[in-house]
Amino acid sequence: MFAGHFGLAAAVKVKTPNVPLWSLMLSTQLLDVVFVPLLLSGVETLEPVAGEGYGGSLIHADYTHSLAGALLLAFLAGWGAGKLWGRRGGVAIGSVVFSHWLLDLLVHRADMPLFPGNAGGFPMLGLGLWQVPTVSIVLESALVLLGAVLYFRSVTAAAERSRRGWAVAAGGIMGLLLTLSLVTDVFG
């Protein structure tokens, strides 16, 4: 669900023009950004599993991808963004950070705990759409397409109002396409 996260960030950009696109793109991946050092240090782990789909690992992200951990990271990111871009920008960034957890809930196997370290031993969450490649690809493609269309419409509308016209639109669209291309090359 890497590209799908970015599609959602592009869609949010439409409603928060004062928040830079790069910050929304980073925010949508913040849980994974924090996951990497925890993975490298052995605090969180990956366990290969057999089966279909492109989620070929059981992810033990018991801190970054727990519900409480995701809410904490979303709050902290939103609070910081609020200092930079105002209350609306902070709410947007915090929401985009948390949207990562919600989208992962759809595609992950049941490997997402409620609390860090699976405190309390509650059942793990995840609907497992990664195990149904066609459905997960359609969902992710729809998010990317929706984000691209909404972003394209907002950039072209802004270009119409701007003296720089279509150069602004072309630059914005090229930036989004480059970002999506790099993401799918790295994670795809």
mmCIF file of all heavy atoms in Angstrom, residues 56-94:
data_model
loop_
_atom_site.group_PDB
_atom_site.id
_atom_site.type_symbol
_atom_site.label_atom_id
_atom_site.label_comp_id
_atom_site.label_asym_id
_atom_site.label_seq_id
_atom_site.Cartn_x
_atom_site.Cartn_y
_atom_site.Cartn_z
ATOM 1 N N GLY A 56 4.548 -10.250 1.630
ATOM 2 C CA GLY A 56 5.137 -11.553 1.902
ATOM 3 C C GLY A 56 5.786 -11.688 3.261
ATOM 4 O O GLY A 56 6.571 -12.606 3.478
ATOM 5 N N SER A 57 5.482 -10.799 4.179
ATOM 6 C CA SER A 57 6.075 -10.872 5.507
ATOM 7 C C SER A 57 5.032 -10.584 6.566
ATOM 8 O O SER A 57 4.119 -9.790 6.351
ATOM 9 C CB SER A 57 7.207 -9.848 5.657
ATOM 10 O OG SER A 57 8.256 -10.110 4.785
ATOM 11 N N LEU A 58 5.218 -11.237 7.691
ATOM 12 C CA LEU A 58 4.460 -10.892 8.885
ATOM 13 C C LEU A 58 5.270 -9.791 9.558
ATOM 14 O O LEU A 58 6.454 -9.965 9.847
ATOM 15 C CB LEU A 58 4.322 -12.115 9.791
ATOM 16 C CG LEU A 58 3.340 -12.028 10.930
ATOM 17 C CD1 LEU A 58 1.935 -11.740 10.420
ATOM 18 C CD2 LEU A 58 3.347 -13.314 11.720
ATOM 19 N N ILE A 59 4.674 -8.651 9.737
ATOM 20 C CA ILE A 59 5.388 -7.484 10.230
ATOM 21 C C ILE A 59 5.133 -7.362 11.726
ATOM 22 O O ILE A 59 3.986 -7.219 12.156
ATOM 23 C CB ILE A 59 4.929 -6.217 9.480
ATOM 24 C CG1 ILE A 59 5.177 -6.392 7.990
ATOM 25 C CG2 ILE A 59 5.636 -4.979 10.020
ATOM 26 C CD1 ILE A 59 4.537 -5.339 7.116
ATOM 27 N N HIS A 60 6.202 -7.419 12.482
ATOM 28 C CA HIS A 60 6.093 -7.254 13.936
ATOM 29 C C HIS A 60 6.502 -5.818 14.271
ATOM 30 O O HIS A 60 7.564 -5.569 14.818
ATOM 31 C CB HIS A 60 6.967 -8.274 14.670
ATOM 32 C CG HIS A 60 6.586 -9.687 14.388
ATOM 33 N ND1 HIS A 60 5.461 -10.272 14.947
ATOM 34 C CD2 HIS A 60 7.148 -10.625 13.601
ATOM 35 C CE1 HIS A 60 5.363 -11.522 14.507
ATOM 36 N NE2 HIS A 60 6.372 -11.754 13.696
ATOM 37 N N ALA A 61 5.652 -4.877 13.865
ATOM 38 C CA ALA A 61 5.862 -3.456 14.136
ATOM 39 C C ALA A 61 5.006 -3.107 15.352
ATOM 40 O O ALA A 61 4.039 -2.363 15.270
ATOM 41 C CB ALA A 61 5.493 -2.624 12.919
ATOM 42 N N ASP A 62 5.397 -3.686 16.471
ATOM 43 C CA ASP A 62 4.564 -3.634 17.666
ATOM 44 C C ASP A 62 4.525 -2.269 18.337
ATOM 45 O O ASP A 62 3.767 -2.081 19.289
ATOM 46 C CB ASP A 62 5.026 -4.683 18.674
ATOM 47 C CG ASP A 62 4.806 -6.100 18.168
ATOM 48 O OD1 ASP A 62 3.964 -6.280 17.270
ATOM 49 O OD2 ASP A 62 5.471 -7.016 18.677
ATOM 50 N N TYR A 63 5.308 -1.347 17.854
ATOM 51 C CA TYR A 63 5.294 0.006 18.411
ATOM 52 C C TYR A 63 4.765 0.996 17.377
ATOM 53 O O TYR A 63 3.782 1.678 17.617
ATOM 54 C CB TYR A 63 6.698 0.398 18.908
ATOM 55 C CG TYR A 63 7.131 -0.513 20.017
ATOM 56 C CD1 TYR A 63 7.868 -1.659 19.762
ATOM 57 C CD2 TYR A 63 6.756 -0.246 21.332
ATOM 58 C CE1 TYR A 63 8.220 -2.518 20.782
ATOM 59 C CE2 TYR A 63 7.108 -1.108 22.361
ATOM 60 C CZ TYR A 63 7.845 -2.244 22.071
ATOM 61 O OH TYR A 63 8.178 -3.095 23.084
ATOM 62 N N THR A 64 5.403 1.068 16.220
ATOM 63 C CA THR A 64 5.020 2.053 15.205
ATOM 64 C C THR A 64 3.653 1.779 14.606
ATOM 65 O O THR A 64 2.944 2.717 14.245
ATOM 66 C CB THR A 64 6.044 2.099 14.064
ATOM 67 O OG1 THR A 64 6.170 0.795 13.477
ATOM 68 C CG2 THR A 64 7.384 2.579 14.556
ATOM 69 N N HIS A 65 3.275 0.517 14.472
ATOM 70 C CA HIS A 65 2.012 0.177 13.821
ATOM 71 C C HIS A 65 0.963 -0.331 14.805
ATOM 72 O O HIS A 65 -0.039 -0.921 14.404
ATOM 73 C CB HIS A 65 2.242 -0.835 12.695
ATOM 74 C CG HIS A 65 2.872 -0.220 11.487
ATOM 75 N ND1 HIS A 65 4.157 0.267 11.505
ATOM 76 C CD2 HIS A 65 2.401 -0.002 10.242
ATOM 77 C CE1 HIS A 65 4.453 0.749 10.303
ATOM 78 N NE2 HIS A 65 3.401 0.610 9.531
ATOM 79 N N SER A 66 1.191 -0.093 16.093
ATOM 80 C CA SER A 66 0.109 -0.346 17.054
ATOM 81 C C SER A 66 -0.851 0.829 16.954
ATOM 82 O O SER A 66 -0.469 1.931 16.547
ATOM 83 C CB SER A 66 0.668 -0.461 18.480
ATOM 84 O OG SER A 66 1.138 0.796 18.944
ATOM 85 N N LEU A 67 -2.081 0.616 17.316
ATOM 86 C CA LEU A 67 -3.060 1.696 17.270
ATOM 87 C C LEU A 67 -2.612 2.859 18.148
ATOM 88 O O LEU A 67 -2.612 4.018 17.722
ATOM 89 C CB LEU A 67 -4.443 1.188 17.705
ATOM 90 C CG LEU A 67 -5.548 2.238 17.802
ATOM 91 C CD1 LEU A 67 -5.776 2.922 16.463
ATOM 92 C CD2 LEU A 67 -6.829 1.590 18.307
ATOM 93 N N ALA A 68 -2.200 2.563 19.369
ATOM 94 C CA ALA A 68 -1.765 3.626 20.285
ATOM 95 C C ALA A 68 -0.496 4.314 19.775
ATOM 96 O O ALA A 68 -0.380 5.542 19.865
ATOM 97 C CB ALA A 68 -1.542 3.051 21.680
ATOM 98 N N GLY A 69 0.441 3.541 19.244
ATOM 99 C CA GLY A 69 1.670 4.126 18.700
ATOM 100 C C GLY A 69 1.387 5.030 17.516
ATOM 101 O O GLY A 69 1.962 6.126 17.395
ATOM 102 N N ALA A 70 0.491 4.607 16.628
ATOM 103 C CA ALA A 70 0.130 5.416 15.462
ATOM 104 C C ALA A 70 -0.563 6.704 15.902
ATOM 105 O O ALA A 70 -0.298 7.780 15.345
ATOM 106 C CB ALA A 70 -0.771 4.617 14.523
ATOM 107 N N LEU A 71 -1.451 6.602 16.896
ATOM 108 C CA LEU A 71 -2.112 7.801 17.399
ATOM 109 C C LEU A 71 -1.110 8.771 18.036
ATOM 110 O O LEU A 71 -1.210 9.994 17.842
ATOM 111 C CB LEU A 71 -3.203 7.428 18.408
ATOM 112 C CG LEU A 71 -4.466 6.824 17.810
ATOM 113 C CD1 LEU A 71 -5.363 6.241 18.917
ATOM 114 C CD2 LEU A 71 -5.225 7.850 16.986
ATOM 115 N N LEU A 72 -0.136 8.241 18.760
ATOM 116 C CA LEU A 72 0.886 9.091 19.373
ATOM 117 C C LEU A 72 1.729 9.794 18.301
ATOM 118 O O LEU A 72 1.951 11.008 18.372
ATOM 119 C CB LEU A 72 1.787 8.278 20.308
ATOM 120 C CG LEU A 72 2.952 9.062 20.939
ATOM 121 C CD1 LEU A 72 2.414 10.185 21.836
ATOM 122 C CD2 LEU A 72 3.862 8.125 21.713
ATOM 123 N N LEU A 73 2.201 9.044 17.304
ATOM 124 C CA LEU A 73 2.981 9.654 16.225
ATOM 125 C C LEU A 73 2.155 10.686 15.460
ATOM 126 O O LEU A 73 2.660 11.750 15.085
ATOM 127 C CB LEU A 73 3.516 8.580 15.279
ATOM 128 C CG LEU A 73 4.636 7.710 15.842
ATOM 129 C CD1 LEU A 73 4.929 6.545 14.898
ATOM 130 C CD2 LEU A 73 5.885 8.530 16.093
ATOM 131 N N ALA A 74 0.875 10.387 15.230
ATOM 132 C CA ALA A 74 -0.003 11.330 14.533
ATOM 133 C C ALA A 74 -0.172 12.609 15.350
ATOM 134 O O ALA A 74 -0.125 13.718 14.801
ATOM 135 C CB ALA A 74 -1.358 10.688 14.257
ATOM 136 N N PHE A 75 -0.354 12.470 16.654
ATOM 137 C CA PHE A 75 -0.501 13.638 17.516
ATOM 138 C C PHE A 75 0.764 14.482 17.503
ATOM 139 O O PHE A 75 0.695 15.712 17.359
ATOM 140 C CB PHE A 75 -0.847 13.212 18.953
ATOM 141 C CG PHE A 75 -0.837 14.366 19.914
ATOM 142 C CD1 PHE A 75 -1.924 15.227 19.976
ATOM 143 C CD2 PHE A 75 0.261 14.599 20.722
ATOM 144 C CE1 PHE A 75 -1.913 16.321 20.843
ATOM 145 C CE2 PHE A 75 0.284 15.680 21.588
ATOM 146 C CZ PHE A 75 -0.798 16.539 21.658
ATOM 147 N N LEU A 76 1.913 13.849 17.665
ATOM 148 C CA LEU A 76 3.181 14.598 17.693
ATOM 149 C C LEU A 76 3.441 15.307 16.369
ATOM 150 O O LEU A 76 3.836 16.481 16.348
ATOM 151 C CB LEU A 76 4.341 13.662 18.048
ATOM 152 C CG LEU A 76 4.330 13.102 19.473
ATOM 153 C CD1 LEU A 76 5.429 12.056 19.653
ATOM 154 C CD2 LEU A 76 4.450 14.222 20.494
ATOM 155 N N ALA A 77 3.223 14.604 15.262
ATOM 156 C CA ALA A 77 3.423 15.217 13.948
ATOM 157 C C ALA A 77 2.433 16.354 13.727
ATOM 158 O O ALA A 77 2.802 17.419 13.211
ATOM 159 C CB ALA A 77 3.289 14.166 12.847
ATOM 160 N N GLY A 78 1.182 16.154 14.108
ATOM 161 C CA GLY A 78 0.171 17.189 13.966
ATOM 162 C C GLY A 78 0.476 18.405 14.816
ATOM 163 O O GLY A 78 0.311 19.550 14.375
ATOM 164 N N TRP A 79 0.947 18.183 16.037
ATOM 165 C CA TRP A 79 1.311 19.284 16.921
ATOM 166 C C TRP A 79 2.455 20.101 16.307
ATOM 167 O O TRP A 79 2.384 21.328 16.252
ATOM 168 C CB TRP A 79 1.704 18.730 18.288
ATOM 169 C CG TRP A 79 2.194 19.786 19.226
ATOM 170 C CD1 TRP A 79 1.438 20.649 19.963
ATOM 171 C CD2 TRP A 79 3.560 20.087 19.514
ATOM 172 N NE1 TRP A 79 2.242 21.478 20.689
ATOM 173 C CE2 TRP A 79 3.553 21.155 20.447
ATOM 174 C CE3 TRP A 79 4.769 19.555 19.091
ATOM 175 C CZ2 TRP A 79 4.732 21.697 20.946
ATOM 176 C CZ3 TRP A 79 5.940 20.104 19.588
ATOM 177 C CH2 TRP A 79 5.918 21.163 20.507
ATOM 178 N N GLY A 80 3.495 19.401 15.818
ATOM 179 C CA GLY A 80 4.616 20.104 15.185
ATOM 180 C C GLY A 80 4.192 20.850 13.933
ATOM 181 O O GLY A 80 4.596 21.998 13.702
ATOM 182 N N ALA A 81 3.371 20.223 13.127
ATOM 183 C CA ALA A 81 2.892 20.864 11.899
ATOM 184 C C ALA A 81 2.011 22.059 12.215
ATOM 185 O O ALA A 81 2.031 23.060 11.492
ATOM 186 C CB ALA A 81 2.129 19.852 11.042
ATOM 187 N N GLY A 82 1.267 21.974 13.297
ATOM 188 C CA GLY A 82 0.429 23.090 13.708
ATOM 189 C C GLY A 82 1.254 24.327 14.027
ATOM 190 O O GLY A 82 0.826 25.461 13.769
ATOM 191 N N LYS A 83 2.449 24.111 14.585
ATOM 192 C CA LYS A 83 3.353 25.232 14.870
ATOM 193 C C LYS A 83 3.835 25.884 13.569
ATOM 194 O O LYS A 83 4.080 27.085 13.532
ATOM 195 C CB LYS A 83 4.570 24.757 15.676
ATOM 196 C CG LYS A 83 4.234 24.180 17.017
ATOM 197 C CD LYS A 83 3.797 25.264 17.958
ATOM 198 C CE LYS A 83 3.601 24.709 19.362
ATOM 199 N NZ LYS A 83 2.931 25.636 20.216
ATOM 200 N N LEU A 84 3.993 25.085 12.511
ATOM 201 C CA LEU A 84 4.489 25.602 11.231
ATOM 202 C C LEU A 84 3.388 26.143 10.332
ATOM 203 O O LEU A 84 3.563 27.177 9.680
ATOM 204 C CB LEU A 84 5.236 24.491 10.478
ATOM 205 C CG LEU A 84 6.528 23.986 11.098
ATOM 206 C CD1 LEU A 84 7.021 22.755 10.353
ATOM 207 C CD2 LEU A 84 7.574 25.085 11.090
ATOM 208 N N TRP A 85 2.248 25.430 10.251
ATOM 209 C CA TRP A 85 1.235 25.747 9.253
ATOM 210 C C TRP A 85 -0.147 26.013 9.837
ATOM 211 O O TRP A 85 -1.145 25.973 9.123
ATOM 212 C CB TRP A 85 1.154 24.621 8.221
ATOM 213 C CG TRP A 85 2.460 24.421 7.515
ATOM 214 C CD1 TRP A 85 3.114 25.342 6.734
ATOM 215 C CD2 TRP A 85 3.284 23.273 7.543
ATOM 216 N NE1 TRP A 85 4.294 24.823 6.284
ATOM 217 C CE2 TRP A 85 4.432 23.543 6.758
ATOM 218 C CE3 TRP A 85 3.172 22.021 8.137
ATOM 219 C CZ2 TRP A 85 5.452 22.622 6.571
ATOM 220 C CZ3 TRP A 85 4.188 21.099 7.959
ATOM 221 C CH2 TRP A 85 5.302 21.416 7.179
ATOM 222 N N GLY A 86 -0.208 26.249 11.118
ATOM 223 C CA GLY A 86 -1.482 26.570 11.741
ATOM 224 C C GLY A 86 -2.293 25.335 12.110
ATOM 225 O O GLY A 86 -1.938 24.204 11.784
ATOM 226 N N ARG A 87 -3.385 25.598 12.791
ATOM 227 C CA ARG A 87 -4.231 24.502 13.294
ATOM 228 C C ARG A 87 -4.707 23.579 12.177
ATOM 229 O O ARG A 87 -4.634 22.360 12.303
ATOM 230 C CB ARG A 87 -5.424 25.097 14.044
ATOM 231 C CG ARG A 87 -6.386 24.059 14.579
ATOM 232 C CD ARG A 87 -7.465 24.707 15.446
ATOM 233 N NE ARG A 87 -8.555 23.832 15.731
ATOM 234 C CZ ARG A 87 -8.529 22.836 16.624
ATOM 235 N NH1 ARG A 87 -7.433 22.598 17.290
ATOM 236 N NH2 ARG A 87 -9.607 22.096 16.817
ATOM 237 N N ARG A 88 -5.195 24.166 11.090
ATOM 238 C CA ARG A 88 -5.702 23.347 9.980
ATOM 239 C C ARG A 88 -4.590 22.471 9.384
ATOM 240 O O ARG A 88 -4.804 21.294 9.095
ATOM 241 C CB ARG A 88 -6.311 24.247 8.912
ATOM 242 C CG ARG A 88 -6.939 23.491 7.782
ATOM 243 C CD ARG A 88 -7.557 24.457 6.771
ATOM 244 N NE ARG A 88 -8.037 23.725 5.629
ATOM 245 C CZ ARG A 88 -9.256 23.811 5.167
ATOM 246 N NH1 ARG A 88 -10.118 24.616 5.731
ATOM 247 N NH2 ARG A 88 -9.626 23.110 4.122
ATOM 248 N N GLY A 89 -3.401 23.037 9.243
ATOM 249 C CA GLY A 89 -2.262 22.258 8.738
ATOM 250 C C GLY A 89 -1.871 21.143 9.691
ATOM 251 O O GLY A 89 -1.541 20.034 9.277
ATOM 252 N N GLY A 90 -1.930 21.433 10.991
ATOM 253 C CA GLY A 90 -1.605 20.416 11.984
ATOM 254 C C GLY A 90 -2.593 19.268 11.982
ATOM 255 O O GLY A 90 -2.216 18.094 12.069
ATOM 256 N N VAL A 91 -3.871 19.607 11.867
ATOM 257 C CA VAL A 91 -4.910 18.565 11.801
ATOM 258 C C VAL A 91 -4.723 17.729 10.537
ATOM 259 O O VAL A 91 -4.839 16.498 10.565
ATOM 260 C CB VAL A 91 -6.327 19.185 11.866
ATOM 261 C CG1 VAL A 91 -7.395 18.164 11.528
ATOM 262 C CG2 VAL A 91 -6.573 19.787 13.243
ATOM 263 N N ALA A 92 -4.401 18.395 9.426
ATOM 264 C CA ALA A 92 -4.198 17.666 8.166
ATOM 265 C C ALA A 92 -3.020 16.707 8.283
ATOM 266 O O ALA A 92 -3.128 15.526 7.919
ATOM 267 C CB ALA A 92 -3.975 18.641 7.008
ATOM 268 N N ILE A 93 -1.895 17.183 8.800
ATOM 269 C CA ILE A 93 -0.708 16.320 8.935
ATOM 270 C C ILE A 93 -0.989 15.174 9.895
ATOM 271 O O ILE A 93 -0.698 14.014 9.599
ATOM 272 C CB ILE A 93 0.518 17.147 9.392
ATOM 273 C CG1 ILE A 93 0.962 18.106 8.287
ATOM 274 C CG2 ILE A 93 1.668 16.229 9.827
ATOM 275 C CD1 ILE A 93 1.557 17.472 7.053
ATOM 276 N N GLY A 94 -1.570 15.468 11.041
ATOM 277 C CA GLY A 94 -1.890 14.398 11.997
ATOM 278 C C GLY A 94 -2.830 13.364 11.404
ATOM 279 O O GLY A 94 -2.647 12.154 11.585
#
